[in-house]
């Protein structure tokens, strides 16, 4: 893998590899074995140099877990593409010829009511998650609060106190398979948080949930909040609203990752239903109040309506005389009738993704309207940005770091909006459920969205105001640039042209993605009353003839034009482009 990523050529060095005893342990239901494994190599790449003490010698840990199979009595539950659950499948060649070879079930914990026929009952064995005591306050309390939201969903499904969160006992080990764990880790980069499960490969039963949450996330949200405000004007600066916003995000993140360990998949269409699921990626929701930005409603509180549907599908108990499959279908039909939508990962990703309602990190029913709103919030925050966004005696280099997420604040909503162009509306429909299978986005909405997207390429949007540039001197001694900093081509001087270049590149790499361009060609051929690739290209290339009296804006216009040309050239030669797409781009 390192060689494929051009990070160096390495081979195993057996004399420097050995069993690592501190992490090799035995528990009642599992045995854990870990080894320190060393590789020797040459030509280390950038990532290796950043991470390894000696880049020609890489030591890492390799871990194996041996887990006792669970006791019998677990009943697998059938998978449905609209259930919102992860699919667990295997090939069963002993199935009758009129049955599918691929058997699909959901992954879930074992849960049963003490009183099976009661509308609300305690569980025989509740699902208990244990929090890493290493999490600091007030993060620790926020993690517990967010994870406990799931008990709302289990109560709605007929269970009393069936989902619990406790502190990990002092004598317990996170590797013990008997403990579902929420682990707090420190990391230096924008790493993902994870919610993973150990699953019985025969049935899909979840034996252990293990959440890994990174400490950088809470700091990123705090930095966003600082960029939107100027809290350090006076001696008694109050940053408690910024801290609370960051903690609100941590509550939501805790619920989200625990949801994965319960077997629940992402739902990126939840944001169109008033933030109906913690399994969406939430973008902070801000409003403008006069000349200030209000973020008291930045993140949702509590479990969502869609999350109750997934738990009901996964964990509801039915009378033994009831047709379980029919009851499960009724749960999903009722959710559909109430307007809830479910669209998951591959359909929501921005590059090549096409679903008009399912996006990562967006808000609202309309991607275009929300992009307009996000740009207004960004514009006001940049207008208000000053030295008061950092504390007294902090170097101005810190001010530049605070400005980075503010300047790129609109990037995720741009991703959402570009998916409407050449986009589709569709469901994971099944025969007989009367749901829309697929239809293209109508022309009026695509044109409205394209207009909103084009605003992100206007020099007036991309230009950091001249009166703000004096806030960003060359980096202070001891405060060098990092991967979180603006990139530039002017040496130690701050480079606003490269910042504009990066921002316009973010828009164009999605808008002129080959698969999107191909869909525009295809949809226009099927319906003349659709947006065409020619329409999009014409709208973009009009900027080539635009001139600005202000030389600064004109230079930014050149940066945009060069990026437009770059991505047209890419369409013209990309092997993923239709030949018709290549012809239009060449022209």
């Amino acid at each position: 893998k390192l060689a494929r990523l051009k990070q160096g050529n390495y081979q195993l060095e057996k004399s420097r590899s050995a069993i690592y005893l501190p992490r090799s342990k035995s528990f009642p239901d599992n045995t854990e074995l870990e080894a320190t494994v060393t590789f020797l190599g040459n030509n280390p790449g950038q990532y290796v140099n950043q991470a390894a003490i000696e880049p020609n010698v890489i030591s890492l840990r390799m871990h194996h877990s041996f887990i006792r199979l669970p006791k019998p009595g677990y009943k697998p539950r059938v998978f449905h593409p609209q259930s919102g659950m992860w699919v667990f499948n295997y090939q069963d060649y002993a199935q009758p010829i009129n049955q599918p070879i691929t058997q699909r079930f959901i992954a879930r914990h074992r849960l049963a009511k003490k009183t099976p026929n009661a509308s609300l009952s305690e569980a025989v064995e509740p699902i208990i998650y244990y929090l890493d005591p290493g999490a600091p306050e007030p993060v620790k309390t926020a993690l517990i609060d967010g994870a406990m939201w799931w008990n709302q969903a289990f109560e709605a499904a007929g269970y009393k106190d069936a989902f619990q969160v406790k502190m990990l006992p002092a004598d317990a080990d996170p590797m013990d398979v008997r403990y579902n764990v929420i682990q707090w880790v420190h990391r230096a980069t924008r790493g993902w948080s994870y919610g993973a499960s150990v699953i019985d490969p025969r049935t899909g039963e979840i034996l252990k949930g293990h959440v890994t949450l990174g400490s950088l996330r809470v700091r990123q949200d705090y930095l966003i909040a600082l960029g939107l405000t100027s809290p350090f004007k006076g001696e008694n600066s109050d940053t408690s609203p910024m801290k609370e916003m960051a903690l609100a995000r941590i509550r939501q993140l805790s619920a989200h990752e625990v949801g994965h360990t319960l077997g629940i998949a992402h739902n990126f269409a939840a944001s169109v239903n008033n933030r109906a699921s913690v399994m969406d990626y939430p973008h902070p929701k801000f409003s403008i109040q006069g000349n200030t930005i209000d973020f008291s409603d930045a993140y949702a509180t509590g479990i969502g309506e869609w999350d109750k549907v997934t738990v009901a599908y996964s964990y509801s108990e039915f009378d033994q005389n009831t047709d379980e499959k029919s009851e499960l279908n009724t749960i999903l039909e009722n959710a559909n009738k109430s307007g809830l939508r479910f669209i998951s990962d591959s359909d929501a990703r921005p590059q090549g993704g096409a679903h008009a309602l399912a996006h990562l990190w967006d808000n609202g029913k309309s991607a275009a309207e929300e992009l307009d709103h996000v740009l207004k919030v960004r514009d006001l925050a940049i207008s208000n940005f000053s030295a008061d966004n950092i504390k007294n005696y902090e170097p101005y280099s810190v001010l530049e770091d605070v400005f980075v997420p503010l300047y790129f604040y609109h990037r995720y909503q741009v991703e959402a909006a570009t998916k409407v162009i050449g986009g589709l509306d569709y469901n994971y429909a099944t025969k007989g459920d009367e749901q829309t299978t697929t239809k293209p986005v109508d022309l009026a909405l695509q044109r409205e969205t394209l207009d909103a997207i084009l605003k992100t390429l206007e020099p007036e949007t991309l230009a950091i105001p001249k009166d703000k540039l004096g806030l960003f001197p060359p980096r202070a001694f001891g405060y060098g640039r990092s991967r979180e900093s603006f990139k530039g081509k002017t040496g130690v001087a701050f480079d606003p042209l490269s910042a504009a270049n990066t921002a316009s590149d973010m828009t164009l790499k999605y808008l002129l993605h080959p698969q999107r361009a191909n869909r525009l060609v295809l949809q226009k051929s099927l319906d003349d009353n659709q947006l065409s690739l020619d329409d999009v290209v014409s709208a973009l290339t009009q900027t080539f003839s635009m001139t600005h009296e202000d030389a600064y804006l004109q230079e930014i216009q050149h940066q945009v034009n060069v990026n437009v040309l770059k991505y047209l050239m890419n369409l013209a030669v990309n092997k993923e482009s239709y030949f018709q797409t290549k012809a239009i781009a060449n022209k």
Side-chain angles (χ1 to χ4, degrees):
K1 186 171 184 178
L2 288 170
R4 188 170 67 250
L5 296 173
K6 296 182 171 54
Q7 295 300 311
N9 300 295
Y10 292 85
Q11 290 186 327
L12 179 67
E13 176 56 41
K14 292 184 180 180
S15 66
R16 300 195 197 185
S17 303
I19 296 294
Y20 183 67
L21 291 177
R23 292 267 297 174
S24 295
K25 302 180 181 183
S26 185
F27 305 100
D29 292 328
N30 60 302
T31 297
E32 305 297 312
L33 297 177
E34 190 159 306
T36 298
V37 184
T38 302
F39 296 85
L40 301 183
N42 50 48
N43 301 319
Q46 176 187 359
Y47 300 139
V48 173
N49 278 300
Q50 288 177 349
I53 297 172
E54 168 51 58
N56 290 322
V57 183
I58 300 178
S59 290
L60 48 84
R61 298 273 169 75
M62 182 171 64
H63 193 95
H64 286 86
S65 298
F66 297 87
I67 299 173
R68 185 200 307 270
L69 292 174
K71 59 187 178 183
Y74 173 81
K75 181 182 178 182
R77 178 154 291 181
V78 65
F79 170 78
H80 191 291
Q82 297 169 25
S83 66
M85 300 298 294
W86 281 336
V87 61
F88 159 78
N89 60 55
Y90 56 84
Q91 308 300 309
D92 183 359
Y93 289 89
Q95 285 292 317
I97 195 168
N98 64 338
Q99 297 298 320
I101 291 176
T102 301
Q103 297 292 295
R104 294 180 174 88
F105 301 95
I106 64 171
R108 60 175 183 153
H109 288 272
R110 185 182 301 213
L111 190 68
K113 289 182 176 181
K114 281 185 178 179
T115 310
N117 296 325
S119 59
L120 184 66
S121 168
E122 293 181 338
V124 176
E125 290 186 25
I127 300 170
I128 304 175
Y129 276 67
Y130 294 89
L131 178 63
D132 179 355
E137 287 289 8
V139 170
K140 181 186 295 184
T141 299
L143 292 174
I144 294 173
D145 291 345
M148 275 300 298
W149 290 353
W150 282 107
N151 196 48
Q152 301 168 19
F154 280 92
E155 284 199 355
Y159 292 92
K160 181 182 179 182
D161 298 326
F163 184 87
Q164 302 175 19
V165 182
K166 300 180 180 181
M167 295 303 300
L168 187 68
D171 60 348
D173 192 302
M175 287 192 293
D176 190 334
V177 76
R178 294 173 299 173
Y179 294 95
N180 302 299
V181 176
I182 303 172
Q183 187 174 10
W184 181 255
V185 299
H186 295 298
R187 51 163 63 107
T189 60
R190 293 170 292 179
W192 296 103
S193 298
Y194 298 94
S197 303
V198 178
I199 298 175
D200 184 341
R202 306 165 304 164
T203 64
E205 179 183 357
I206 296 175
L207 308 180
K208 175 184 173 67
H210 199 113
V211 174
T212 302
L213 301 176
S215 60
L216 188 67
R217 185 69 64 88
V218 67
R219 295 182 178 275
Q220 287 174 320
D221 270 88
Y222 181 70
L223 205 62
I224 291 171
L226 288 183
L228 292 167
T229 57
S230 301
F232 302 109
K233 288 180 180 178
E235 291 273 333
N236 301 314
S237 303
D238 181 14
T239 60
S240 55
M242 300 84 188
K243 293 175 184 175
E244 181 48 43
M245 176 184 138
L247 292 173
R249 175 68 181 99
I250 285 296
R251 293 185 194 97
Q252 203 280 340
L253 180 64
S254 178
H256 180 102
E257 299 304 340
V258 168
H260 282 320
T261 69
L262 294 172
I264 302 173
H266 289 131
N267 182 3
F268 292 123
S271 56
V272 302
N273 295 115
N274 193 27
R275 303 192 288 194
S277 175
V278 299
M279 303 312 296
D280 204 335
Y281 282 178
H283 197 266
K285 190 174 182 180
F286 302 122
S287 61
I288 297 174
Q289 306 291 338
N291 195 42
T292 61
I293 296 169
D294 177 38
F295 42 81
S296 59
D297 190 35
Y299 295 107
T301 301
I303 212 69
E305 290 304 309
W306 172 254
D307 305 318
K308 294 177 183 178
V309 173
T310 60
V311 169
Y313 185 94
S314 307
Y315 293 98
S316 291
E317 280 196 356
F318 304 106
D319 185 275
Q320 60 182 358
N321 298 319
T322 301
D323 182 346
E324 180 175 298
K325 190 171 183 179
S326 176
E327 291 295 323
L328 293 173
N329 285 337
T330 298
I331 291 172
L332 299 181
E333 288 168 4
N334 290 337
N336 179 50
K337 289 176 183 176
S338 68
L340 294 172
R341 302 288 297 271
F342 168 65
I343 299 292
S344 198
D345 286 73
S346 59
D347 302 282
R349 300 293 167 174
Q351 288 191 315
H355 204 287
L357 298 178
H359 314 297
L360 283 64
W361 312 110
D362 86 313
N363 283 313
K365 291 183 177 293
S366 166
E369 290 179 8
E370 185 63 20
L371 180 54
D372 281 335
H373 174 70
V374 163
L375 289 175
K376 289 175 182 176
V377 170
R378 175 182 177 272
D379 182 62
L380 176 58
I382 290 176
S383 176
N384 291 339
F385 195 82
S386 70
D388 292 331
N389 286 74
I390 58 172
K391 299 175 184 177
N392 287 341
Y393 304 111
E394 279 191 306
Y396 278 81
S397 299
V398 175
L399 191 65
E400 181 186 331
D401 296 336
V402 172
F403 188 72
V404 171
L406 169 58
Y407 183 74
F408 295 123
Y409 171 67
H410 62 299
R411 65 194 184 279
Y412 292 118
Q413 200 60 44
V414 170
E415 292 179 10
T418 55
K419 288 175 64 241
V420 176
I421 308 303
L424 300 168
D425 185 6
Y426 56 94
N427 296 289
Y428 303 137
T430 59
K431 183 178 178 181
D433 64 14
E434 299 181 356
Q435 292 192 55
T436 300
T437 52
T438 182
K439 63 179 181 180
V441 178
D442 68 78
L443 177 62
L445 180 56
Q446 290 198 57
R447 288 197 181 279
E448 176 191 350
T449 307
L450 181 59
D451 289 342
I453 293 168
L454 293 176
K455 292 177 185 176
T456 70
L457 299 175
E458 294 174 355
E460 292 81 2
T461 300
L462 297 171
I464 299 172
K466 293 178 183 178
D467 64 337
K468 308 297 181 185
L469 296 180
L471 298 172
F472 309 128
R475 303 289 295 193
F477 178 66
Y479 287 80
R481 296 192 181 280
S482 71
R483 62 189 295 174
E484 305 294 332
S485 305
F486 283 116
K487 303 298 185 289
K489 297 181 179 180
T490 53
V492 297
F494 182 75
D495 184 358
L497 297 186
S498 287
N501 185 289
T502 300
S504 63
D505 191 276
M506 288 176 177
T507 297
L508 291 163
K509 72 179 178 182
Y510 297 122
L511 184 59
L512 292 180
H513 191 278
Q515 293 176 4
R516 191 173 322 287
N518 293 344
R519 282 198 300 274
L520 287 167
V521 171
L522 173 62
Q523 290 177 2
K524 185 68 173 179
S525 73
L526 295 171
D527 180 0
D528 192 52
N529 193 32
Q530 276 288 324
L531 194 70
S532 70
L533 179 57
D534 277 313
D535 294 332
V536 175
V537 171
S538 296
L540 289 171
T541 53
Q542 284 178 4
T543 63
F544 291 170
S545 60
M546 287 184 180
T547 58
H548 304 268
E549 292 184 6
D550 187 314
Y552 176 43
L553 295 181
Q554 187 61 52
E555 295 304 334
I556 290 177
Q557 185 69 69
H558 289 320
Q559 297 282 352
V560 175
N561 293 347
V562 167
N563 275 337
V564 171
L565 184 60
K566 177 177 75 173
Y567 282 101
L568 283 175
M569 288 176 163
N570 175 60
L571 280 182
V573 298
N574 196 296
K575 64 180 181 180
E576 295 296 321
S577 296
Y578 280 161
F579 73 85
Q580 296 96 322
T581 300
K582 293 179 180 180
I584 292 168
N586 270 301
K587 179 182 177 182

